């Protein structure tokens, strides 16, 4: 199947649902972002901020205990939970049940930004899945992607956001093989893992498990900066929390992320803007429809 181009025409024909004037924060959904570490504490801050900028009504951030207070001060709009830490600096699986009381009220869960301890990541997810309803959408990003093979098919769906290097690990191929045929790799992994796959790059490919495939070209080199992927993952999670289907949230998230970069580049120059500055561009872009 030839990829569908993500352009103005597609976005106009597939608009995001808008909340009614009478809606409240509960109706716009709850996002939970799980991740972070003492060495990379800002990733969940970026992702959580992006989820709120995407219109999610409520946000909870779960991170390592020793960073929880600082996170709560940096992100006063969120509820912050501190979880036990492994010796390798990751999230210990013993902390996963602490999220169980939230599970019935979560609309999207993002796991992975800023994580450390690759061995611990799958164990945390395997424990967490025991406490999540199957209809809850799950988004895996960054180190959280190493848990993808441990996630069985879910009624709520699974979404993955790898770059080429991470995709190489997911599909067992060399990075240059992924870069040579990204559409195939994304499509094959989407079918095999029963997931929507967002294979990031200068050209981003989005694949659904049923074989649908989209291609986005755009953005600018300035988006290739630390924290940019965290913004994209949080943006997608926020859209999912609002009730957007996973594949639509992926397509719109990629397009909004790229266009936020274009707006910053037009004002500030093509290189040197910060990932944290992308999130503030999102509300206006959603209002204008692109």
């Amino acid at each position: 199947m030839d990829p569908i181009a993500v352009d103005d025409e597609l976005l106009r024909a597939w608009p995001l649902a808008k909340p009614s004037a009478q809606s409240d924060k509960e109706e716009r959904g709850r996002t939970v972002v799980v991740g972070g570490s003492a060495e990379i504490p800002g990733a969940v801050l970026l992702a959580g901020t992006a989820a709120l900028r995407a219109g999610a009504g409520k946000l909870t951030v779960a991170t390592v205990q020793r960073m929880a207070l600082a996170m709560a001060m940096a992100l006063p709009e969120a509820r912050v939970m501190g979880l036990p830490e492994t010796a390798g600096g990751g999230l210990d699986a013993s902390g996963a049940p602490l999220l169980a009381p939230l599970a019935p009220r979560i609309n999207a869960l993002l796991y992975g930004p800023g994580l450390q301890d690759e061995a611990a990541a799958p164990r945390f997810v395997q424990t967490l899945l025991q406490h999540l309803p199957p209809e809850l959408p799950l988004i895996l990003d960054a180190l959280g992607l190493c848990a993808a093979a441990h996630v069985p098919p879910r009624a709520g769906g699974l979404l993955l956001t790898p770059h080429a290097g991470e995709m190489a690990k997911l599909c067992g191929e060399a990075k240059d093989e992924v870069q040579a045929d990204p559409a195939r790799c994304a499509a094959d992994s989407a079918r095999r893992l029963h997931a929507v796959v967002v294979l990031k790059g200068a050209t981003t490919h989005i694949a659904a498990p049923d074989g649908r495939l989209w291609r986005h070209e755009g953005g600018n080199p300035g988006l290739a900066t630390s924290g940019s992927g965290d913004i994209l993952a949080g943006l997608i999670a926020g859209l999912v929390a609002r009730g957007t289907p996973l594949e639509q949230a992926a397509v719109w998230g990629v397009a909004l992320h790229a266009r936020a970069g274009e707006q910053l580049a037009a004002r500030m120059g093509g290189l040197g803007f910060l990932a944290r500055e992308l999130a503030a561009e999102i509300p206006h872009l959603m209002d204008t429809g692109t």
Side-chain angles (χ1 to χ4, degrees):
M1 179 179 180
D2 291 332
I4 301 167
V6 178
D7 54 19
D8 289 347
E9 182 179 359
L10 173 68
L11 297 175
R12 283 193 295 266
W14 201 12
L16 293 171
K18 292 189 176 181
S20 68
Q22 291 75 37
S23 69
D24 61 14
K25 59 189 176 183
E26 297 290 348
E27 292 180 53
R28 298 211 314 275
R30 295 172 180 246
T31 306
V32 173
V33 179
V34 183
S37 59
E39 291 187 16
I40 319 172
V44 287
L45 173 62
L46 292 172
T49 300
L52 290 174
R53 291 294 193 181
K58 285 191 171 183
L59 172 67
T60 296
V61 172
T63 191
V64 292
Q65 180 66 58
R66 58 175 157 159
M67 298 308 303
L69 179 58
M71 185 60 56
M73 297 296 289
L75 191 55
E77 297 87 354
R79 174 182 179 178
V80 178
M81 299 177 64
L83 301 180
E85 186 175 350
T86 68
L91 293 175
D92 193 276
S94 65
L98 297 176
L99 296 171
L102 302 179
R105 303 189 303 276
I106 302 173
N107 301 100
L109 190 145
L110 167 61
Y111 175 73
L115 276 182
Q116 290 187 286
D117 195 345
E118 185 171 350
R123 291 197 294 270
F124 188 96
V125 167
Q126 288 174 303
T127 306
L128 181 63
L129 288 174
Q130 299 172 27
H131 302 279
L132 298 182
E135 62 272 14
L136 172 63
L138 177 63
I139 299 120
L140 299 181
D141 178 59
L143 197 60
L145 291 164
C146 68
H150 302 274
V151 179
R154 299 179 54 77
L158 174 66
L159 189 146
L160 312 175
T161 59
H163 54 58
E166 292 163 336
M167 176 58 80
K169 291 183 179 180
L170 282 175
C171 63
E173 299 185 23
K175 181 178 177 180
D176 57 356
E177 292 177 305
V178 172
Q179 293 172 321
D181 197 354
R184 176 191 59 80
C185 291
D188 288 351
S189 294
R191 284 191 294 268
R192 178 170 51 85
L193 296 169
H194 305 281
V196 173
V197 174
V198 180
L199 178 49
K200 300 177 291 191
T203 298
T204 293
H205 290 83
I206 302 154
D210 61 9
R212 286 176 296 165
L213 187 64
W214 295 265
R215 182 188 68 252
H216 180 274
E217 298 178 4
N220 59 76
L223 287 171
T225 188
S226 179
S228 181
D230 303 317
I231 293 287
L232 176 59
L235 172 54
I236 292 172
L239 294 175
V240 172
R242 290 174 47 187
T244 310
L246 287 182
E247 63 272 19
Q248 185 182 18
V251 167
W252 267 92
V254 167
L256 289 167
H257 181 258
R259 292 173 191 214
E262 291 169 357
Q263 290 197 164
L264 286 174
R267 292 201 309 271
M268 303 175 65
L271 296 176
F273 56 81
L274 304 178
R276 75 181 78 146
E277 295 165 328
L278 291 164
E281 305 294 320
I282 300 302
H284 173 71
L285 287 167
M286 289 193 300
D287 269 355
T288 58
T290 53

